[in-house]
Amino acid sequence: MNISYNWLKDYIKTDLSVDDISKILTDLGLEVGSVETVDTVKGGLRGLVVGEVLTCEKHPNADKLSVTTVDIGEEEPLPIVCGAPNVAAGQKVVVATVGTTLYPNEEGFEIKKAKIRGEVSKGMICAEDEMGLGTAHDGIMVLEPETKIGTPAAEYFNIESDVLIEIDLTPNRIDGASHIGVARDLAAYLKQNDPNVKVKWPSVDEFKSDNNNWPVDVDVKNPEACARYSGITLSGLEVKESPDWLKNKLLAIGQTPINNVVDITNFILHEMGQPLHAFDGDKIKGDKVVVKTLDQGTLFTTLDEKERELDEKDLMICNAEKGMCIAGVFGGIDSGVTENTKKVFLESACFNPVYVRKTARRHTLNTDASFRFERGTDPNITIYALKRAALLIKELAGGTISSDIVDIYPEPVKDFEVELSLKHVERLIGKNITADRIKTILEALDIKILSDTSGDLWQLAVPPYRVDVQREADVIEEILRVYGYNNVEAPSKLNSTIVYADKPDIDDLRNKIAGQLIGAGFDEIMSNSLTKAAYYEKSESFPETEVVKLANPLSSDLNGMRQTLLFGALEAVRHNRNRQNSDLRLFEFGNCYKLNPSKSAGEVTGYKEEEMLALIATGNKNSGDWNTPDTKISFFDVKTWAFNILERLGIDTANCQETPSENDLISEGLTFTLQDGNELFYMGMIHPRLLKDFDIDEPVYFAEINWKTLVKKSAKKEVTFEELSKFPEVKRDLALLINKDVKFKQIRDLAFRTEKKILKEVSLFDVFEGEKLGAGKKSYAVTFTLQDTAKTLKDKQIEKTMNNLTRVFEKELGAKLR
């Protein structure tokens, strides 16, 4: 939010510098993000002065150039070569002196002493567009004859320089979203040292209705969506360009002036934080304003010329026949003020923040008005804002106030009543602040003290514009920020306790695994926990009945909590592939959520939250070149990456039970469980039907690891050490002809059950299938590593071990040696 330094000083008398004010505001919770000098015209016309053309002669070496001498009030006139066709002796003109930077565009250019076709030029006679004052470039700008030579151009054109203070406003501090709001906070701080400091609110004492010639009837059909609606009419207006002072104030904060009536409504919004809307009176059919919702699907064209389909919960400002404005968000194209407008209905309202927020999100609209209504406006300021605006419109556009103020306020908003304990103030702040000091701070913040201040408990009344102050802790926070966080001294003694830290350190493990995956070529993603509940409508693996659905979703795309990381990962794959990035290895740590249908939805026990780790990969594992083909990522690559994670955390993958699994999401999958039955992870290729739904035409492999189970298992793993054997290993290979349904894990487990002493490792190095082997057969080439830690193995012992293994394989698995 932008605040003008000059504008701010209209409401509070202070000689503080911009830097001092910025520091105070930051300490008060209105953090200043940047401070920038701005001008109503870029460059502020610095270096430009009024001059008089003394002589003007044709350039001897150029037909379209003139050689002039110009008096700018210095000792010697300046020689200037000019290319404008209308330059002549005796003219009063604007001259850019050497060293001046002009900004006909964003980059600008510097005026330098030059020699043009042999003639010296020490400046430039300017056209309108060259100074940034307009777009005309048919010649230089000629001023009135009586204009004084040497007058700075900034003074002649009433150009103002200002300092723009950008405040990074937090959502809870909407009370500071205006110049008076900022002045109010600044005054509360300064009052601690000077009780005479106060905020100067513009007077509206002169307001009165001129007649009642054009009353407009107002009917609020949805009072729950509109707490207060106020309005007034003005007739006989002349809509025209705003005066310089109003345009300069708006330009200083980055607003574009439109016309005097619209500019006044924008001025009021940034002055006091109350959004206003002016309706063209001739467009109010039946002289009636109705605040209501319209039927689902009603079409409405907004000021940006876009036709929007309304929701049945979008609050509208209507006339007797149709909608005119989306309440608190955006005006309609047919009801806005134009140069032909002669009378207006001026609206000042307080809309329900929830209604405005949902409507703005539905239509992806973000306006200055919706920004304030979404966070809560002051219901007690609507009438004041109307009076202020009406007086300004009469002053700048003429006309008369043609009705009494209409004010529909069925249930006035009361002050928030809060009980404050002075003991709690000291306990939470950590310092004893005197009761008188607290009273001064509260009064400076417009917080009324209702009870006798002599006791420990005070009854307070907090004004409604402070939407974030409704509890005792909130009030104490207000006291502290005005008193000053920096005024609370750090204690000389630090009390600490020894805190037991759970092991393993989950954050440390998470970082280690993330580093391992990044080293393997993965990129980390973070997807939204909110997702489409529609993803689970026909899912068997993750039933729709277990989706945690939101009561008030922002949209249909964000109406449920994810049960799996799969869909978010697929969205990331689709997003990258659509941008020519098809070789992907992605991982994500994230929580998944489930609802237990047998439990009450209102019970915490009815919900389940688990952290998962997902791996997703597609495309090339290695990109080839002229002599090396591309290598595609395969099922076994993802399995290896998943096993590496388990092994890094001390899980023996040999003891994991593998179960083939295939469902509506995964084809050719495996589920890995521990011996105690707890599932560690599942993996496989994403089902082609699901890939088609996401418009992905490349195989995608996915693994989802139960991180909580993995961490628990890792915590029980004991690290043991043993001396490296001094005796050599021996390796023997067997080529086994087996049935296709026999898995390598069966061979491995059977081998270790048969030889428990010297068998150290069993690994598979080749798999072969072919017609020559016979139907239903395959060949495994297996390496057995043998080692005795106490002595060197002898041939007889090795041969005996291998014979035992061969016999067991033949007997248990029907294997034959090839």
Side-chain angles (χ1 to χ4, degrees), residues 213-471:
N213 293 339
W214 180 39
V216 171
D217 185 31
V218 177
D219 184 10
V220 179
K221 298 287 189 183
N222 297 75
E224 74 282 357
C226 180
R228 188 174 192 178
Y229 193 92
S230 310
I232 197 171
T233 64
L234 295 97
S235 304
L237 308 180
E238 181 185 0
V239 178
K240 57 184 179 180
E241 184 179 355
S242 295
D244 288 342
W245 71 265
L246 179 53
K247 290 193 295 182
N248 287 341
K249 285 189 182 297
L250 295 177
L251 287 169
I253 60 172
Q255 297 290 309
T256 302
I258 299 173
N259 59 55
N260 50 2
V261 175
V262 175
D263 291 350
I264 287 169
T265 62
N266 288 333
F267 173 81
I268 297 295
L269 180 141
H270 291 281
E271 179 184 53
M272 62 185 69
Q274 174 60 37
L276 303 177
H277 193 78
F279 296 92
D280 188 324
D282 291 326
K283 305 293 178 62
I284 303 178
K285 305 299 182 183
D287 288 340
K288 186 171 185 178
V289 170
V290 184
V291 184
K292 64 178 181 179
T293 56
L294 297 178
D295 294 337
Q296 179 77 33
T298 300
L299 298 179
F300 180 73
T301 304
T302 46
L303 278 172
D304 56 1
E305 299 183 357
K306 291 184 180 180
E307 188 175 64
R308 304 178 187 275
E309 186 175 312
L310 299 178
D311 186 87
E312 62 182 355
K313 294 184 179 179
D314 290 336
L315 189 67
M316 299 291 295
I317 310 300
C318 310
N319 57 34
E321 299 177 3
K322 61 180 181 178
M324 299 188 295
C325 172
I326 302 178
V329 181
F330 211 29
I333 195 169
D334 293 330
S335 62
V337 173
T338 68
E339 65 274 7
N340 299 319
T341 299
K342 300 301 179 186
K343 59 181 183 178
V344 298
F345 174 78
L346 200 59
E347 166 195 282
S348 180
C350 179
F351 296 114
N352 186 307
V354 176
Y355 270 77
V356 175
R357 186 182 306 116
K358 289 184 177 181
T359 294
R361 297 298 178 272
R362 271 192 290 267
H363 299 289
T364 61
L365 288 170
N366 184 23
T367 62
D368 285 334
S370 68
F371 177 83
R372 286 156 177 81
F373 280 127
E374 286 180 36
R375 291 158 177 78
T377 57
D378 184 3
N380 296 328
I381 205 176
T382 60
I383 299 298
Y384 175 84
L386 270 185
K387 292 179 178 180
R388 170 76 165 145
L391 290 172
L392 284 173
I393 291 175
K394 281 190 65 176
E395 177 185 342
L396 303 185
T400 58
I401 298 174
S402 304
S403 73
D404 293 328
I405 292 178
V406 177
D407 185 27
I408 300 178
Y409 195 17
E411 296 184 12
V413 178
K414 298 179 179 179
D415 292 344
F416 304 120
E417 294 190 2
V418 179
E419 185 177 78
L420 177 68
S421 166
L422 298 187
K423 291 181 179 179
H424 289 170
V425 174
E426 182 176 354
R427 179 176 61 85
L428 290 180
I429 292 179
K431 183 175 182 177
N432 180 23
I433 304 175
T434 64
D436 289 341
R437 185 69 176 271
I438 293 174
K439 180 181 178 181
T440 301
I441 293 173
L442 294 177
E443 289 177 347
L445 292 170
D446 296 333
I447 297 176
K448 301 174 185 175
I449 302 173
L450 304 178
S451 69
D452 183 5
T453 60
S454 60
D456 175 67
L457 292 178
W458 293 2
Q459 297 298 324
L460 308 178
V462 182
Y465 74 80
R466 289 311 309 267
V467 294
D468 65 320
V469 184
Q470 300 184 24
R471 307 169 303 163

Side-chain angles (χ1 to χ4, degrees), residues 172-187:
N172 64 314
R173 290 303 313 276
I174 194 60
D175 62 287
S178 66
H179 285 76
I180 287 180
V182 172
R184 188 165 47 198
D185 247 26
L186 187 59

